[in-house]
Amino acid sequence: MEIIVQKFGGTSVGSVERIKRMAQHVIREKQKGKEVAVVVSAMGDTTDHLTKLAGEITAHPPKREMDLLLSTGEQITIALLTLSIQEAGFKAVSLTGRQAGIRTDGVHGKARIKGIDPSRVREELHRGIIPVVAGFQGSTDAGEITTLGRGGSDTTATALAAALGAERCDIYTDVDGIYTTDPRVVPAATRIPHLTYREVLCLADSGAAVIHPRAVFHSKKSRIPFRILPGLIKGEGTLVDDHIHINDRGPVGVAFKDEVASISMKDAAYGLESLLKESLEVIHVKPDLHWKGQDLTLTVDASDRSDVEHLLRDLGQEYSKKMEQAKVTIVKSPGSDILRFGVRSTLGDSGIDVSSIHEDPEKVTALIGSEDIYRAADVLHTFAGLDVSGAKRVVR
Amino acid sequence: MEIIVQKFGGTSVGSVERIKRMAQHVIREKQKGKEVAVVVSAMGDTTDHLTKLAGEITAHPPKREMDLLLSTGEQITIALLTLSIQEAGFKAVSLTGRQAGIRTDGVHGKARIKGIDPSRVREELHRGIIPVVAGFQGSTDAGEITTLGRGGSDTTATALAAALGAERCDIYTDVDGIYTTDPRVVPAATRIPHLTYREVLCLADSGAAVIHPRAVFHSKKSRIPFRILPGLIKGEGTLVDDHIHINDRGPVGVAFKDEVASISMKDAAYGLESLLKESLEVIHVKPDLHWKGQDLTLTVDASDRSDVEHLLRDLGQEYSKKMEQAKVTIVKSPGSDILRFGVRSTLGDSGIDVSSIHEDPEKVTALIGSEDIYRAADVLHTFAGLDVSGAKRVVR
C-alpha cells in the first residue's frame, strides 16, 4: 500500500481544538486507502513558554539541557494528536524521535539526521496503526536527546518520507502555499502552484521562511514530492518535485533575510575558502562566500556570527565585520536573464544603499541595510515581473 | 566517596524560584564532600494541566499515551533544576528515566521498577557531575515510556539509592516530616522523629500519603535509611531505618483512606484467596483481604474496583459491593495491646457506624462510611494516646 507522510506544525496544532481538526486530515487520507505516518511539532506557544522558564534561570542555557527541555513540546503534541485519532475510532500510536528511530549527530540545538531506522514505524503501519512521530527531535547513538533547530519538524517529515519510500509528503502549515514573496510584506505576492526542489532550496537558502533547506534536501535526494498545504482552510497549496514544466522559466520569487552579518577578509590566502567551508560545516554554519578580487566576504545569520569570529581568531585570520545587514535575493530559473545591473539600478532608484551584489545562474543577491529590507523586497518583486498574476514567471 | 540521593517533589519544585532554592540543598551536600544524585518530580501544576488537555479530547485516554504525555512533566523539571545547579557554578546533567537506566515492566500508569542500570549515573558521579534524574518514569526493554503511578518519584529515589549503594536517601517535600496523622485533619498530630521501615510501610499501606509503599519497599530491602525533610523550611524531619529504639513501643499513628470499595463473597471457595491475590498482583492491585467465617471481603482503592469486578466476573464468582467506604487504621508496634473492642466502642461512642473491624499484630483497621472519616481519625488519635506530645508512643 502507498504511504503518505503528513506533517502538522505551527499554529495548526496551536490548541486542542485545532489538533482535533488535524486528526481529520489524517483520517481522510486513511479512508482513501493510504497508509499514513504523521509528524508533528510543538503546540504554538509551548517552545516560547519553556524557553522563558529557562531564561528565568540563566541567560546562556547549555544546548544539551535546552534540547532535553524543548523536546517535551512535541512529545505533548504527539500524545494529544494520537488521542484525537483514537477518539475518532482509528488506531494510532505516538512515538518520540528516539522511538521512531530518528538518529542524529550530537550537535545540540541544530543536530542533523544521520539516518532513520524506520522499522518501528513500518511495523505499526503494517498493523494498520497510524504512527504519530515527534518532529524536530532525535537521539544520538549514545541515547542523548537532540533537536534539529529551526524547521526541524519539516526535516523529520521529509526524511521519514524518504526512509519509508513514501508516495508523497504533505506539510500542513498556517499558510496556503509558497508565495512569490512574503505576502505580509508585499501584498502583490501570489501563490506558486508548482516549484522544483532546486527553486525551493534556493528560496529557502535565501531566507524564505516557508520551509527549511534541510527539509528540501531530504526530498530532493529521495525524489519524493512534497506539498505545502494550508491546515485550517481548503487550498491546493504548492507542489514541489523535480519536474520542470515548459512554462517554468523566469524569475521565481523574491526572498529576504534580516539579521545577517557580513565578515570580510582582505587579501585572503589561497585555500582559506575551503578551510572555512569545512570548519563551518562541522558546526553546521552555512555561509554565503563571495570573492571580490583578493577579498573574501562571508555572509552568515547574525546568530552564527560569534561562532565564525571565534573560528577566525583561532585561525589567526584578521577580518572586519558589518552587522545590521540584510540580504534580498531574486531566485530565477537558469534560463532567465535578470542581471545584477538591473537589480542595482532598481534599488538605487529607490534610494536604497547596496553594499554588494552577487549573481549566479540561480539568483541575484543584494546586501543592504536592515532598515531597507521590506522596501527592497517590494521594488524587486515588481522589477522581476512577479506583481501581476498574469505576468508571473515569464521572462522579462 | 559516599553518595547521597536527594529527591525534590510536590510544591517544592512548584516554580522556577523554588527550583533555584532546591539547587541550594544539592550544593550544600556537595560542599560537604558527598557525591549527590538527584531525583525530581514534575512542577506542581504540570500534571494537572496535561491531564486536563487529554480530558478535552477523551474521557478514557489509553494509559500508554498518558504515560508518554505525563512523563514530559519531570523532563521539564530535571532540565530546569540542572540549569539552576549549573548557574550556581556546579556541574550537572539531566537524565530522563530511560537515560538513568530505570527499567520497568510494561504496566502503563503504574509500572514497577524491574531493575536499575546505574552505569550512566555512576559515570557522571565519578566525573564530578551531579546527575539530575526524572522521577516517576522509566522505560521498558522495548523502549516504551512508562510511569510508576502515585508516589512514583519517591520510588525512583529509594530504588536509585539502593542501586547506587547510597549512604542515605533524603526526600524533600512540602511537609516537615511524618506525623502521627494528617495534621490538616487532626491539629493535635505531632511529628515522629524516627520510624522503622515496617511502621512506615504499615502507615503508607493504610493510606498515609506521606510516602508510597513501593518507595519504602526499596529502602527496606536495601536497608538504606531515608529521611522525609521539609524543602522550604528548616527542620529535622523523620528518619526511617530498621533500628528499633527501646522506647518505640505503642501506637505509632493513625492513617485513613477515603474512596475505598469493599467487595464481599459469601461461602468463598477454598483457594480463592490465593488465586485472587496472584491475579490482582499481575495488574498491581493490592487488596486487604479478610475472612469472616466462610465470607471473604476485599478492600481496594475505588479506582481499582472495576478491575477487581472484571476479574471476579471472569472467574464466575458472585459478589456484593459496598462503595463510598473509608478505612481508618491505628498502626502499632508489635508489643502494643490496642484491641479491636476498644476501637469499636470508641467509634460507637462517637456515633460512627462501623461496618467491619480487623486486627493483626501491626494494626487495627475499621471500615466506616466516607462521611465519618475525619471524625474517626480524630477520636482514634485521642484513643491511641497520640494527642499529647508527652504521652506519644507510650503503651496505654
Side-chain angles (χ1 to χ4, degrees), chain B residues 18 36 52 64 66 71 80 91 96 142 154 157 166 183 187-189 207 222 261 285 288 315 323-324 340:
Chain B
R18 287 184 171 189
V36 189
K52 190 175 149 283
R64 179 195 177 278
M66 282 309 286
S71 67
L80 296 179
K91 287 182 184 165
T96 63
D154 292 343
S222 61
V285 174
D288 281 348
L315 294 172
M323 316 283 287
E324 307 270 316
R340 53 199 298 181

Side-chain angles (χ1 to χ4, degrees), chain B residues 23-225:
Chain B
Q24 293 308 314
H25 287 296
V26 180
I27 289 162
R28 202 173 309 123
E29 206 69 49
K30 181 82 182 162
Q31 285 173 329
K32 284 183 194 163
K34 305 286 186 184
E35 287 188 350
V36 189
V38 181
V39 173
V40 280
S41 35
M43 290 172 75
D45 53 357
T46 311
T47 308
D48 289 346
H49 171 67
L50 294 171
T51 307
K52 190 175 149 283
L53 288 182
E56 288 173 24
I57 295 168
T58 171
H60 302 288
K63 286 173 182 171
R64 179 195 177 278
E65 304 308 323
M66 282 309 286
D67 277 2
L68 197 134
L69 181 64
L70 295 181
S71 67
T72 60
E74 292 77 36
Q75 198 167 323
I76 292 170
T77 333
I78 55 172
L80 296 179
L81 181 57
T82 298
L83 292 179
S84 301
I85 296 170
Q86 289 171 339
E87 186 67 8
F90 291 78
K91 287 182 184 165
V93 64
S94 56
L95 300 173
T96 63
R98 188 189 61 80
Q99 290 175 334
I102 316 287
R103 293 186 303 105
T104 74
D105 62 20
V107 184
H108 285 289
K110 47 179 175 178
R112 285 206 185 150
I113 296 176
K114 276 170 51 181
I116 295 183
D117 170 4
S119 51
R120 172 75 187 266
V121 171
R122 268 191 206 289
E123 185 191 310
E124 302 293 351
L125 288 171
H126 288 170
R127 293 166 59 202
I129 297 170
I130 298 164
V132 179
V133 175
F136 180 69
Q137 59 178 252
S139 168
T140 67
D141 292 341
E144 293 288 271
I145 296 170
T146 53
T147 71
L148 308 180
R150 224 156 52 87
S153 291
D154 292 343
T155 306
T156 305
T158 57
L160 184 63
L164 292 170
E167 179 189 351
R168 198 179 64 237
C169 181
D170 283 346
I171 297 174
Y172 289 85
T173 65
D174 44 3
V175 297
D176 69 337
I178 300 178
Y179 273 65
T180 48
T181 193
D182 187 339
R184 290 168 302 185
V185 172
V186 182
T190 51
R191 181 175 60 85
I192 312 170
H194 174 254
L195 284 165
T196 63
Y197 299 123
R198 193 199 58 76
E199 289 165 341
V200 172
L201 207 49
C202 194
L203 281 168
D205 270 337
S206 306
V210 71
I211 189 161
H212 195 270
R214 292 298 301 172
V216 185
F217 167 82
H218 289 288
S219 278
K220 186 169 186 286
K221 199 172 153 196
S222 61
R223 303 183 63 168
I224 291 171

Side-chain angles (χ1 to χ4, degrees), chain B residues 265-270 291-296:
Chain B
M265 287 145 281
K266 281 202 175 300
D267 295 323
Y270 178 77
W291 287 95
K292 195 173 180 180
Q294 290 298 305
D295 302 345
L296 178 63

Side-chain angles (χ1 to χ4, degrees), chain A residues 16-17 19-20 43 50 53-54 56-62 64-69 71-73 75-87 92-96 98-99 120 139 142-145, chain B residues 16-17 19-20 43 50 53-54 56-62 64-69 71-73 75-87 92-96 98-99 120 139 142-145:
Chain A
V16 166
E17 213 41 62
I19 288 173
K20 287 184 194 173
M43 290 171 77
L50 294 171
L53 289 181
E56 289 173 25
I57 295 168
T58 171
H60 302 288
R64 180 195 176 278
E65 304 307 324
M66 281 309 285
D67 277 1
L68 196 134
L69 180 63
S71 68
T72 60
Q75 198 167 323
I76 292 170
T77 333
I78 55 172
L80 296 179
L81 181 58
T82 299
L83 292 179
S84 302
I85 296 170
Q86 290 171 339
E87 186 67 6
V93 65
S94 56
L95 300 173
T96 64
R98 188 189 60 79
Q99 289 175 336
R120 172 76 187 267
S139 167
E144 293 288 272
I145 297 170
Chain B
V16 167
E17 214 40 62
I19 287 173
K20 288 184 193 174
M43 290 172 75
L50 294 171
L53 288 182
E56 288 173 24
I57 295 168
T58 171
H60 302 288
R64 179 195 177 278
E65 304 308 323
M66 282 309 286
D67 277 2
L68 197 134
L69 181 64
S71 67
T72 60
Q75 198 167 323
I76 292 170
T77 333
I78 55 172
L80 296 179
L81 181 57
T82 298
L83 292 179
S84 301
I85 296 170
Q86 289 171 339
E87 186 67 8
V93 64
S94 56
L95 300 173
T96 63
R98 188 189 61 80
Q99 290 175 334
R120 172 75 187 266
S139 168
E144 293 288 271
I145 296 170

